[in-house]
Amino acid sequence: MTERFVAAADEWAEARLEERETALETKAEQALLEIEYLVSGRTEVSFDVDAEAGRIDYAPSDELSRLLSAQADDTGLDEATILRLHVDLFVGAFPGDDDRPPNAPPV
């Protein structure tokens, strides 16, 4: 997880009065699901968040794996870095400001 990812999750947690770990999982699911949907059409993803280690473990679909491999070949970056960049791109795409609980303090 990058600083950008964690900051987005912290913002999400604060706005929804959620625990940080729950927010990390939510943001990971949102980003991974959006990426997979765009590439493979998948509407479900399975992953593990290790908050202490600051990592998300995810096995991409075959379609996403092929895209990551091609992008890795084009850029010289490894596939995990490419996926991390995509996740960082999408982590802020779902601010959900209108989803705040009614008892949430102003931000």
Side-chain angles (χ1 to χ4, degrees):
M1 290 179 249
T2 65
E3 287 181 29
R4 175 180 159 87
F5 182 91
V6 173
D10 286 343
E11 189 175 308
W12 183 270
E14 183 178 326
R16 284 157 191 75
L17 304 175
E18 288 183 351
E19 295 293 322
R20 184 183 215 193
E21 189 165 326
T22 300
L24 291 169
E25 291 173 2
T26 298
K27 296 311 280 182
E29 181 177 29
Q30 289 173 341
L32 290 170
L33 189 55
E34 186 67 19
I35 294 162
E36 278 289 2
Y37 182 77
L38 290 171
V39 174
S40 68
R42 288 176 71 184
T43 57
E44 291 183 25
V45 292
S46 296
F47 58 92
D48 290 309
V49 173
D50 185 340
E52 287 184 28
R55 60 180 285 130
I56 301 165
D57 293 317
Y58 180 67
S61 66
D62 291 342
E63 294 91 342
L64 181 54
S65 289
R66 283 191 292 277
L67 176 68
L68 295 172
S69 178
Q71 290 177 338
D73 289 345
D74 289 346
T75 64
L77 298 172
D78 62 89
E79 293 176 29
T81 299
I82 300 285
L83 182 56
R84 187 170 38 252
L85 291 169
H86 288 303
V87 167
D88 266 4
L89 176 67
F90 284 101
V91 74
F94 306 97
D97 292 336
D98 57 341
D99 289 336
R100 293 172 47 82
N103 62 338
V107 287

